[in-house]
Amino acid sequence: MIIFGTKGYLYQLAILTLVCGRCGNPAAHTLRKRVTKFTLFFVPLFPFSTKYATQCTFCGAEQQVTQEQAEQLQAQAAGGQTHGQPQQQPYRH
């Protein structure tokens, strides 16, 4: 008998102030990384899916972003930009 499956991990990479494409408010957005790993006998072995997304803390809208966009947003957050002004509009609906 072989027991296998998947397990998901959610990492919060950064918090940025952006203008939401859904509600239009300049609000904090969390940048998240979701990794799904293959497990064998409940031991995670290797990742087979990695997705990045931003989520508005005001309205809850979530938008998928590419790895390159996520890296840019993470660098922007690490660059010490102020949280008082919206810095970038990553998406529009």
Side-chain angles (χ1 to χ4, degrees):
M1 178 186 236
I2 297 176
I3 300 172
F4 63 92
T6 61
K7 180 168 179 146
Y9 298 89
L10 187 63
Y11 303 99
Q12 182 171 312
L13 303 176
I15 298 178
L16 303 137
T17 301
L18 305 169
V19 176
C20 181
R22 180 176 170 206
C23 66
N25 289 310
H29 285 67
T30 57
L31 176 62
R32 296 179 178 169
K33 176 180 176 180
R34 186 169 309 178
V35 179
T36 305
K37 293 186 178 184
F38 175 79
T39 61
L40 183 63
F41 294 106
F42 306 105
V43 176
L45 295 178
F46 57 88
F48 69 88
S49 173
T50 302
K51 296 180 182 178
Y52 297 88
T54 59
Q55 184 176 21
C56 177
T57 58
F58 188 80
C59 69
E62 188 170 312
Q63 177 67 35
Q64 297 287 329
V65 294
T66 64
Q67 181 177 358
E68 292 79 21
Q69 290 171 329
E71 289 171 357
Q72 289 174 354
L73 290 171
Q74 198 170 6
Q76 175 182 328
Q81 294 185 354
T82 62
H83 293 286
Q85 302 174 14
Q87 300 296 327
Q88 185 177 9
Q89 298 179 7
Y91 55 90
R92 283 276 182 212
H93 290 287

Coordinates of all heavy atoms in Angstrom, one line a residue:
M1 N 0.8 -1.2 0.0 CA 0.0 0.0 0.0 C 0.9 1.2 0.0 O 1.8 1.4 0.8 CB -0.9 0.0 1.2 CG -1.8 1.2 1.3 SD -2.6 1.2 2.9 CE -4.3 1.3 2.3
I2 N 0.6 2.1 -0.9 CA 1.4 3.4 -1.1 C 0.4 4.5 -0.8 O -0.6 4.6 -1.4 CB 2.0 3.5 -2.4 CG1 3.0 2.4 -2.7 CG2 2.7 4.9 -2.6 CD1 3.6 2.4 -4.0
I3 N 0.8 5.4 0.1 CA -0.1 6.6 0.4 C 0.6 7.8 -0.2 O 1.8 8.1 0.2 CB -0.2 6.7 1.9 CG1 -0.9 5.5 2.5 CG2 -1.0 8.0 2.3 CD1 -0.9 5.5 4.0
F4 N -0.1 8.5 -1.1 CA 0.4 9.7 -1.7 C -0.7 10.7 -1.8 O -1.8 10.5 -1.6 CB 1.0 9.4 -3.1 CG 0.0 8.9 -4.1 CD1 -0.6 9.8 -4.9 CD2 -0.3 7.6 -4.2 CE1 -1.5 9.3 -5.8 CE2 -1.2 7.1 -5.1 CZ -1.8 8.0 -5.9
G5 N -0.2 12.0 -2.1 CA -1.2 13.1 -2.2 C -0.5 14.4 -2.4 O 0.6 14.4 -2.9
T6 N -1.2 15.5 -2.0 CA -0.6 16.8 -2.1 C -0.8 17.6 -0.8 O -1.7 17.3 0.0 CB -1.3 17.6 -3.3 OG1 -2.6 17.7 -3.0 CG2 -1.1 16.9 -4.6
K7 N 0.0 18.6 -0.6 CA -0.1 19.5 0.5 C 0.2 20.9 0.0 O 1.1 21.1 -0.7 CB 0.8 19.1 1.6 CG 0.7 20.0 2.8 CD 1.3 19.5 4.0 CE 1.2 20.5 5.1 NZ 1.0 19.9 6.4
G8 N -0.7 21.9 0.4 CA -0.5 23.2 0.0 C 0.2 24.1 1.1 O -0.1 23.9 2.3
Y9 N 1.0 25.0 0.7 CA 1.7 26.0 1.6 C 1.4 27.4 1.0 O 1.5 27.6 -0.2 CB 3.2 25.7 1.6 CG 3.6 24.4 2.1 CD1 3.7 23.3 1.3 CD2 3.8 24.1 3.5 CE1 4.0 22.0 1.7 CE2 4.1 22.9 3.9 CZ 4.2 21.8 3.1 OH 4.6 20.6 3.5
L10 N 1.1 28.3 2.0 CA 0.8 29.7 1.6 C 1.8 30.6 2.3 O 1.9 30.5 3.5 CB -0.6 30.0 2.0 CG -1.1 31.4 1.5 CD1 -1.1 31.5 0.0 CD2 -2.5 31.6 2.1
Y11 N 2.6 31.4 1.5 CA 3.6 32.3 2.1 C 3.2 33.7 1.8 O 2.8 34.0 0.7 CB 5.0 32.0 1.5 CG 5.4 30.6 1.6 CD1 5.3 29.7 0.6 CD2 6.0 30.2 2.8 CE1 5.8 28.4 0.7 CE2 6.5 28.9 2.9 CZ 6.4 28.0 1.9 OH 6.8 26.7 2.1
Q12 N 3.3 34.6 2.8 CA 3.0 36.0 2.6 C 4.4 36.6 2.3 O 5.3 36.6 3.2 CB 2.4 36.6 3.8 CG 2.1 38.1 3.6 CD 1.2 38.7 4.7 OE1 0.2 38.1 5.1 NE2 1.6 39.8 5.2
L13 N 4.6 37.2 1.1 CA 5.9 37.7 0.7 C 6.0 39.2 1.1 O 7.1 39.6 1.4 CB 6.1 37.5 -0.8 CG 6.0 36.1 -1.3 CD1 6.1 36.0 -2.8 CD2 7.1 35.2 -0.6
A14 N 5.0 40.0 0.9 CA 5.1 41.4 1.2 C 3.7 42.0 1.3 O 2.7 41.4 1.0 CB 5.8 42.1 0.0
I15 N 3.7 43.2 1.9 CA 2.4 44.0 1.9 C 2.8 45.3 1.3 O 3.7 46.0 1.6 CB 2.0 44.3 3.4 CG1 1.7 42.9 4.1 CG2 0.8 45.2 3.4 CD1 1.2 43.0 5.5
L16 N 2.0 45.7 0.2 CA 2.2 46.9 -0.6 C 0.9 47.7 -0.6 O -0.2 47.2 -0.4 CB 2.5 46.5 -2.0 CG 3.7 45.6 -2.2 CD1 3.3 44.5 -3.2 CD2 4.8 46.4 -2.7
T17 N 1.1 49.0 -0.8 CA 0.0 49.9 -1.0 C -0.2 50.1 -2.5 O 0.7 50.7 -3.1 CB 0.2 51.3 -0.2 OG1 0.4 51.0 1.1 CG2 -1.0 52.2 -0.4
L18 N -1.3 49.7 -3.0 CA -1.6 49.8 -4.4 C -3.0 50.2 -4.6 O -3.9 50.2 -3.7 CB -1.5 48.4 -5.1 CG -0.1 47.7 -4.9 CD1 -0.3 46.2 -5.4 CD2 0.9 48.4 -5.7
V19 N -3.4 50.7 -5.8 CA -4.7 51.1 -6.1 C -5.4 49.8 -6.6 O -5.0 49.2 -7.6 CB -4.8 52.2 -7.2 CG1 -6.2 52.5 -7.6 CG2 -4.1 53.5 -6.6
C20 N -6.5 49.4 -6.0 CA -7.2 48.2 -6.3 C -7.9 48.4 -7.7 O -8.6 49.4 -7.9 CB -8.2 47.8 -5.2 SG -9.1 46.3 -5.6
G21 N -7.8 47.4 -8.6 CA -8.5 47.4 -9.8 C -10.0 47.2 -9.8 O -10.7 47.5 -10.7
R22 N -10.4 46.6 -8.6 CA -11.9 46.3 -8.5 C -12.6 47.4 -7.8 O -13.6 47.9 -8.3 CB -12.0 45.0 -7.7 CG -13.5 44.6 -7.5 CD -13.6 43.3 -6.8 NE -14.9 43.0 -6.4 CZ -15.2 42.2 -5.4 NH1 -14.3 41.6 -4.8 NH2 -16.5 42.0 -5.1
C23 N -12.1 47.8 -6.6 CA -12.9 48.9 -5.8 C -12.3 50.3 -6.0 O -13.0 51.2 -5.7 CB -12.9 48.5 -4.4 SG -11.3 48.5 -3.5
G24 N -11.1 50.4 -6.6 CA -10.5 51.7 -6.9 C -9.9 52.4 -5.7 O -9.5 53.6 -5.8
N25 N -9.9 51.8 -4.6 CA -9.3 52.4 -3.3 C -7.8 52.1 -3.2 O -7.3 51.0 -3.5 CB -10.0 51.8 -2.1 CG -11.4 52.3 -1.9 OD1 -11.7 53.4 -2.0 ND2 -12.3 51.3 -1.7
P26 N -7.1 53.1 -2.8 CA -5.6 52.9 -2.5 C -5.6 52.1 -1.2 O -5.9 52.7 -0.1 CB -5.0 54.3 -2.4 CG -6.2 55.2 -2.1 CD -7.4 54.5 -2.7
A27 N -5.3 50.9 -1.2 CA -5.4 50.0 0.0 C -4.1 49.1 0.1 O -3.4 48.9 -0.9 CB -6.6 49.2 0.0
A28 N -3.9 48.5 1.2 CA -2.9 47.5 1.4 C -3.2 46.3 0.6 O -4.4 45.8 0.6 CB -2.7 47.2 2.9
H29 N -2.3 45.7 -0.1 CA -2.4 44.5 -0.8 C -1.3 43.5 -0.3 O -0.2 43.9 -0.1 CB -2.2 44.7 -2.3 CG -3.4 45.3 -3.0 ND1 -3.7 46.6 -2.8 CD2 -4.2 44.8 -3.9 CE1 -4.8 46.9 -3.5 NE2 -5.1 45.8 -4.2
T30 N -1.7 42.3 0.0 CA -0.7 41.3 0.3 C -0.3 40.5 -0.9 O -1.1 40.2 -1.8 CB -1.3 40.3 1.4 OG1 -2.5 39.7 0.8 CG2 -1.7 40.9 2.7
L31 N 1.0 40.3 -1.0 CA 1.6 39.5 -2.1 C 1.8 38.1 -1.5 O 2.5 38.0 -0.5 CB 2.9 40.1 -2.6 CG 3.6 39.3 -3.6 CD1 2.8 39.2 -4.9 CD2 5.0 40.0 -3.9
R32 N 1.2 37.1 -2.1 CA 1.3 35.7 -1.6 C 1.8 34.8 -2.6 O 1.6 34.9 -3.8 CB -0.1 35.3 -1.1 CG -0.7 36.1 0.0 CD -2.1 35.6 0.4 NE -2.6 36.4 1.5 CZ -3.8 36.3 1.9 NH1 -4.7 35.6 1.3 NH2 -4.2 37.0 3.0
K33 N 2.5 33.7 -2.1 CA 3.0 32.7 -2.9 C 2.3 31.4 -2.4 O 2.4 31.0 -1.3 CB 4.5 32.6 -2.8 CG 5.1 31.4 -3.5 CD 6.6 31.5 -3.3 CE 7.4 30.3 -3.9 NZ 8.8 30.4 -3.6
R34 N 1.7 30.6 -3.3 CA 1.0 29.4 -3.0 C 1.8 28.2 -3.7 O 1.9 28.2 -4.9 CB -0.4 29.4 -3.5 CG -1.2 28.2 -3.1 CD -2.7 28.5 -3.4 NE -3.0 29.8 -2.8 CZ -4.2 30.3 -2.9 NH1 -5.2 29.7 -3.5 NH2 -4.4 31.5 -2.3
V35 N 2.3 27.3 -2.9 CA 3.1 26.2 -3.4 C 2.4 24.9 -3.0 O 2.0 24.7 -1.9 CB 4.5 26.2 -2.8 CG1 5.3 25.0 -3.3 CG2 5.2 27.5 -3.0
T36 N 2.2 24.0 -4.0 CA 1.6 22.7 -3.8 C 2.7 21.7 -4.0 O 3.3 21.7 -5.1 CB 0.4 22.5 -4.8 OG1 -0.5 23.6 -4.7 CG2 -0.3 21.2 -4.5
K37 N 2.8 20.8 -3.0 CA 3.9 19.8 -3.1 C 3.3 18.4 -3.1 O 2.3 18.1 -2.5 CB 4.8 19.9 -1.8 CG 5.6 21.2 -1.8 CD 6.6 21.2 -0.7 CE 7.4 22.5 -0.8 NZ 8.5 22.5 0.3
F38 N 4.0 17.5 -3.8 CA 3.6 16.1 -3.9 C 4.1 15.5 -2.6 O 5.2 15.7 -2.1 CB 4.2 15.4 -5.1 CG 4.0 14.0 -5.1 CD1 2.8 13.5 -5.6 CD2 5.0 13.1 -4.7 CE1 2.6 12.1 -5.6 CE2 4.8 11.7 -4.8 CZ 3.6 11.2 -5.2
T39 N 3.2 14.6 -2.0 CA 3.6 13.9 -0.7 C 3.6 12.4 -0.9 O 2.7 11.9 -1.6 CB 2.7 14.3 0.5 OG1 1.4 13.9 0.2 CG2 2.8 15.8 0.8
L40 N 4.5 11.8 -0.3 CA 4.6 10.3 -0.3 C 4.7 9.9 1.2 O 5.6 10.3 1.9 CB 5.7 9.8 -1.1 CG 5.9 8.3 -1.2 CD1 4.7 7.7 -2.0 CD2 7.2 7.9 -2.0
F41 N 3.7 9.1 1.7 CA 3.6 8.7 3.1 C 3.7 10.0 4.0 O 4.4 10.0 5.0 CB 4.7 7.7 3.5 CG 4.6 6.4 2.8 CD1 5.4 6.0 1.8 CD2 3.6 5.5 3.2 CE1 5.3 4.8 1.1 CE2 3.4 4.3 2.6 CZ 4.3 3.9 1.5
F42 N 2.9 11.0 3.6 CA 2.8 12.3 4.3 C 4.0 13.1 4.4 O 4.1 14.1 5.2 CB 2.2 12.0 5.7 CG 0.9 11.2 5.7 CD1 0.9 9.9 6.1 CD2 -0.3 11.8 5.3 CE1 -0.2 9.1 6.0 CE2 -1.4 11.1 5.2 CZ -1.4 9.7 5.6
V43 N 5.0 12.8 3.6 CA 6.3 13.6 3.6 C 6.3 14.4 2.3 O 6.3 13.8 1.2 CB 7.5 12.6 3.6 CG1 8.8 13.5 3.5 CG2 7.5 11.8 4.9
P44 N 6.4 15.7 2.4 CA 6.4 16.5 1.1 C 7.7 16.3 0.4 O 8.8 16.4 1.0 CB 6.3 18.0 1.6 CG 6.4 17.9 3.1 CD 6.3 16.5 3.6
L45 N 7.7 16.0 -0.9 CA 8.9 15.6 -1.6 C 9.3 16.8 -2.5 O 10.5 17.2 -2.5 CB 8.7 14.3 -2.4 CG 8.5 13.1 -1.6 CD1 8.2 11.9 -2.5 CD2 9.7 12.8 -0.7
F46 N 8.4 17.2 -3.4 CA 8.8 18.2 -4.4 C 7.6 19.1 -4.8 O 6.5 18.6 -4.8 CB 9.5 17.6 -5.6 CG 8.6 16.6 -6.3 CD1 7.7 17.1 -7.3 CD2 8.7 15.3 -6.0 CE1 6.9 16.2 -8.0 CE2 7.9 14.4 -6.7 CZ 7.0 14.8 -7.6
P47 N 7.9 20.4 -5.1 CA 6.8 21.2 -5.5 C 6.4 21.0 -7.0 O 7.3 20.7 -7.8 CB 7.3 22.6 -5.3 CG 8.8 22.5 -5.4 CD 9.1 21.1 -4.9
F48 N 5.1 20.9 -7.3 CA 4.7 20.8 -8.7 C 3.9 21.9 -9.2 O 3.5 22.0 -10.3 CB 4.1 19.4 -8.9 CG 2.7 19.2 -8.3 CD1 1.6 19.6 -9.0 CD2 2.6 18.6 -7.1 CE1 0.4 19.4 -8.4 CE2 1.4 18.4 -6.5 CZ 0.2 18.8 -7.2
S49 N 3.5 22.9 -8.3 CA 2.7 24.0 -8.7 C 3.1 25.2 -7.8 O 3.1 25.1 -6.5 CB 1.2 23.7 -8.6 OG 0.5 24.9 -8.8
T50 N 3.4 26.3 -8.4 CA 3.7 27.6 -7.7 C 2.9 28.7 -8.3 O 3.0 28.9 -9.5 CB 5.2 27.9 -7.7 OG1 5.9 26.8 -7.1 CG2 5.5 29.1 -6.9
K51 N 2.1 29.4 -7.5 CA 1.3 30.5 -8.0 C 1.5 31.7 -7.2 O 1.7 31.6 -5.9 CB -0.2 30.1 -8.1 CG -0.5 29.0 -9.0 CD -1.9 28.6 -9.1 CE -2.2 27.5 -10.0 NZ -3.5 27.0 -10.0
Y52 N 1.4 32.9 -7.8 CA 1.5 34.2 -7.1 C 0.3 35.0 -7.2 O -0.3 34.9 -8.3 CB 2.7 35.0 -7.6 CG 4.1 34.3 -7.4 CD1 4.6 33.4 -8.4 CD2 4.8 34.5 -6.3 CE1 5.8 32.8 -8.2 CE2 6.1 33.9 -6.1 CZ 6.5 33.1 -7.1 OH 7.7 32.4 -6.9
A53 N -0.1 35.7 -6.2 CA -1.3 36.5 -6.3 C -1.2 37.7 -5.3 O -0.5 37.7 -4.3 CB -2.6 35.7 -5.9
T54 N -2.0 38.8 -5.6 CA -2.1 39.9 -4.7 C -3.6 39.9 -4.3 O -4.5 39.5 -5.0 CB -1.8 41.2 -5.4 OG1 -2.6 41.4 -6.5 CG2 -0.3 41.3 -5.8
Q55 N -3.8 40.3 -3.0 CA -5.2 40.4 -2.5 C -5.4 41.7 -1.8 O -4.6 42.1 -1.0 CB -5.4 39.3 -1.5 CG -6.9 39.3 -1.1 CD -7.2 38.1 -0.2 OE1 -6.3 37.5 0.4 NE2 -8.5 37.8 -0.1
C56 N -6.4 42.4 -2.2 CA -6.8 43.7 -1.6 C -7.3 43.5 -0.2 O -8.2 42.7 0.0 CB -7.8 44.4 -2.5 SG -8.4 46.0 -1.8
T57 N -6.8 44.2 0.8 CA -7.3 44.1 2.1 C -8.6 44.8 2.4 O -9.3 44.7 3.4 CB -6.3 44.5 3.2 OG1 -5.9 45.9 2.9 CG2 -5.0 43.6 3.1
F58 N -9.0 45.7 1.4 CA -10.2 46.5 1.5 C -11.4 45.7 1.0 O -12.4 45.6 1.8 CB -10.1 47.8 0.8 CG -11.2 48.8 1.0 CD1 -11.2 49.5 2.2 CD2 -12.2 48.9 0.1 CE1 -12.3 50.4 2.4 CE2 -13.3 49.8 0.4 CZ -13.3 50.5 1.5
C59 N -11.4 45.2 -0.2 CA -12.5 44.5 -0.8 C -12.3 43.0 -0.9 O -13.3 42.3 -1.1 CB -12.9 45.1 -2.1 SG -11.7 44.7 -3.4
G60 N -11.1 42.5 -0.7 CA -10.8 41.1 -0.8 C -10.6 40.5 -2.2 O -10.4 39.3 -2.4
A61 N -10.5 41.4 -3.2 CA -10.3 40.9 -4.6 C -8.9 40.4 -4.7 O -7.9 40.9 -4.2 CB -10.5 42.1 -5.6
E62 N -8.8 39.2 -5.4 CA -7.5 38.6 -5.6 C -7.2 38.5 -7.0 O -8.1 38.2 -7.9 CB -7.6 37.1 -5.0 CG -6.2 36.5 -5.0 CD -6.2 35.2 -4.2 OE1 -6.7 35.2 -3.1 OE2 -5.7 34.2 -4.8
Q63 N -5.9 38.8 -7.4 CA -5.5 38.9 -8.8 C -4.2 38.0 -8.9 O -3.3 38.2 -8.2 CB -5.2 40.3 -9.2 CG -4.7 40.4 -10.6 CD -5.7 40.0 -11.7 OE1 -6.9 40.3 -11.5 NE2 -5.3 39.5 -12.7
Q64 N -4.2 37.1 -9.8 CA -3.1 36.3 -10.1 C -2.0 37.2 -10.8 O -2.3 38.0 -11.6 CB -3.4 35.1 -11.0 CG -4.4 34.1 -10.5 CD -3.7 33.3 -9.4 OE1 -2.6 33.0 -9.4 NE2 -4.6 32.9 -8.4
V65 N -0.7 37.0 -10.4 CA 0.4 37.7 -11.1 C 1.4 36.7 -11.5 O 1.5 35.6 -10.9 CB 1.0 38.8 -10.2 CG1 0.0 39.9 -9.9 CG2 1.5 38.2 -8.9
T66 N 2.3 37.0 -12.4 CA 3.3 36.1 -12.8 C 4.5 36.2 -11.8 O 4.5 37.1 -11.0 CB 3.9 36.6 -14.2 OG1 4.5 37.9 -14.1 CG2 2.8 36.6 -15.3
Q67 N 5.4 35.3 -12.0 CA 6.6 35.2 -11.1 C 7.4 36.5 -11.2 O 7.9 37.1 -10.2 CB 7.4 34.0 -11.3 CG 8.6 33.9 -10.4 CD 9.4 32.7 -10.6 OE1 9.1 31.8 -11.5 NE2 10.5 32.5 -9.9
E68 N 7.5 37.0 -12.5 CA 8.3 38.2 -12.7 C 7.6 39.4 -12.1 O 8.3 40.3 -11.4 CB 8.5 38.5 -14.2 CG 9.3 37.4 -14.9 CD 8.6 36.1 -15.2 OE1 7.3 36.1 -15.3 OE2 9.3 35.1 -15.4
Q69 N 6.3 39.5 -12.2 CA 5.6 40.6 -11.5 C 5.7 40.5 -10.0 O 5.9 41.6 -9.3 CB 4.1 40.6 -11.9 CG 3.9 41.0 -13.4 CD 2.4 40.7 -13.8 OE1 1.7 39.8 -13.3 NE2 1.9 41.5 -14.7
A70 N 5.6 39.3 -9.5 CA 5.8 39.1 -8.0 C 7.2 39.6 -7.6 O 7.3 40.2 -6.5 CB 5.5 37.7 -7.7
E71 N 8.2 39.2 -8.3 CA 9.5 39.6 -8.0 C 9.7 41.2 -8.0 O 10.3 41.7 -7.1 CB 10.6 39.0 -8.9 CG 10.7 37.5 -8.6 CD 11.5 36.8 -9.7 OE1 12.0 37.4 -10.7 OE2 11.7 35.6 -9.5
Q72 N 9.1 41.8 -9.0 CA 9.1 43.3 -9.1 C 8.4 43.9 -7.9 O 8.9 44.9 -7.3 CB 8.5 43.8 -10.4 CG 9.3 43.5 -11.6 CD 8.6 43.8 -12.9 OE1 7.4 44.2 -12.8 NE2 9.3 43.7 -14.0
L73 N 7.2 43.4 -7.5 CA 6.5 43.9 -6.4 C 7.2 43.7 -5.1 O 7.2 44.6 -4.2 CB 5.1 43.3 -6.3 CG 4.1 43.7 -7.4 CD1 2.9 42.8 -7.4 CD2 3.8 45.1 -7.3
Q74 N 7.9 42.5 -5.0 CA 8.7 42.3 -3.7 C 9.9 43.2 -3.6 O 10.2 43.7 -2.6 CB 9.1 40.8 -3.8 CG 9.5 40.3 -2.4 CD 9.7 38.8 -2.4 OE1 9.7 38.1 -3.4 NE2 9.9 38.2 -1.3
A75 N 10.5 43.5 -4.8 CA 11.6 44.4 -4.8 C 11.1 45.8 -4.4 O 11.8 46.6 -3.7 CB 12.3 44.4 -6.1
Q76 N 10.0 46.2 -4.9 CA 9.4 47.5 -4.6 C 9.1 47.6 -3.1 O 9.4 48.6 -2.5 CB 8.1 47.6 -5.4 CG 7.3 48.9 -5.1 CD 6.0 48.9 -5.9 OE1 5.9 48.4 -7.0 NE2 5.0 49.5 -5.3
A77 N 8.6 46.5 -2.5 CA 8.3 46.6 -1.1 C 9.6 46.6 -0.3 O 9.7 47.3 0.8 CB 7.5 45.3 -0.7
A78 N 10.7 46.0 -0.7 CA 11.9 46.0 0.0 C 12.7 47.3 -0.2 O 13.5 47.6 0.6 CB 12.8 44.8 -0.5
G79 N 12.3 48.0 -1.3 CA 12.9 49.3 -1.6 C 12.6 50.4 -0.6 O 13.1 51.5 -0.7
G80 N 11.7 50.1 0.3 CA 11.4 51.1 1.4 C 10.5 52.2 0.9 O 10.5 53.3 1.4
Q81 N 9.6 52.0 -0.1 CA 8.7 53.0 -0.5 C 7.7 53.3 0.5 O 7.3 52.4 1.3 CB 8.1 52.7 -1.9 CG 9.1 52.6 -3.0 CD 8.4 52.3 -4.3 OE1 7.2 52.1 -4.4 NE2 9.2 52.3 -5.4
T82 N 7.2 54.5 0.6 CA 6.2 54.9 1.6 C 4.9 54.2 1.4 O 4.5 53.9 0.3 CB 6.0 56.4 1.7 OG1 5.5 56.8 0.4 CG2 7.3 57.1 1.9
H83 N 4.1 54.0 2.5 CA 2.8 53.4 2.4 C 1.7 54.5 2.3 O 0.6 54.1 2.2 CB 2.6 52.5 3.6 CG 3.5 51.3 3.6 ND1 3.3 50.3 2.8 CD2 4.6 51.0 4.4 CE1 4.2 49.4 3.0 NE2 5.0 49.8 3.9
G84 N 2.1 55.7 2.3 CA 1.1 56.8 2.3 C 0.4 57.0 0.9 O -0.6 57.6 0.8
Q85 N 1.1 56.6 -0.2 CA 0.7 56.9 -1.5 C 0.6 55.6 -2.3 O 1.5 54.8 -2.1 CB 1.6 57.9 -2.2 CG 1.8 59.2 -1.5 CD 2.9 60.0 -2.2 OE1 3.3 59.7 -3.4 NE2 3.4 61.0 -1.6
P86 N -0.4 55.5 -3.2 CA -0.3 54.3 -4.1 C 0.8 54.4 -5.0 O 1.1 55.5 -5.6 CB -1.7 54.4 -4.8 CG -2.2 55.8 -4.6 CD -1.5 56.3 -3.4
Q87 N 1.6 53.3 -5.2 CA 2.8 53.4 -6.0 C 2.6 52.7 -7.4 O 3.3 53.1 -8.3 CB 3.9 52.6 -5.3 CG 4.2 53.2 -3.9 CD 4.8 54.6 -4.0 OE1 5.5 54.9 -5.0 NE2 4.5 55.4 -3.1
Q88 N 1.7 51.8 -7.5 CA 1.6 51.1 -8.8 C 0.2 50.5 -8.9 O -0.5 50.2 -8.0 CB 2.6 50.0 -8.8 CG 2.6 49.2 -10.2 CD 3.7 48.2 -10.1 OE1 4.3 47.9 -9.1 NE2 4.0 47.6 -11.3
Q89 N -0.3 50.4 -10.2 CA -1.6 49.8 -10.4 C -1.3 48.5 -11.2 O -1.2 48.6 -12.4 CB -2.5 50.8 -11.2 CG -2.8 52.0 -10.5 CD -3.7 53.0 -11.3 OE1 -4.1 52.6 -12.3 NE2 -3.9 54.1 -10.7
P90 N -1.3 47.4 -10.5 CA -0.9 46.1 -11.2 C -1.9 45.5 -12.1 O -1.6 44.8 -13.0 CB -0.5 45.2 -10.1 CG -1.4 45.6 -9.0 CD -1.5 47.1 -9.1
Y91 N -3.2 45.9 -12.0 CA -4.2 45.3 -12.8 C -5.5 46.2 -12.9 O -5.7 47.0 -12.0 CB -4.6 43.9 -12.3 CG -5.1 43.9 -10.8 CD1 -6.4 44.1 -10.5 CD2 -4.1 43.7 -9.8 CE1 -6.7 44.1 -9.2 CE2 -4.5 43.7 -8.5 CZ -5.8 43.9 -8.2 OH -6.2 43.9 -6.9
R92 N -6.2 46.0 -13.9 CA -7.5 46.7 -14.1 C -8.5 45.7 -14.6 O -8.2 44.8 -15.5 CB -7.4 47.8 -15.1 CG -6.7 49.0 -14.6 CD -7.7 49.9 -13.9 NE -7.1 51.1 -13.4 CZ -7.5 51.7 -12.3 NH1 -8.5 51.2 -11.6 NH2 -6.9 52.8 -12.0
H93 N -9.7 45.8 -14.2 CA -10.8 44.9 -14.7 C -11.6 45.6 -15.7 O -11.8 46.8 -15.7 CB -11.7 44.4 -13.5 CG -11.0 43.4 -12.6 ND1 -10.7 42.2 -13.0 CD2 -10.5 43.6 -11.4 CE1 -10.1 41.5 -12.0 NE2 -10.0 42.4 -11.0

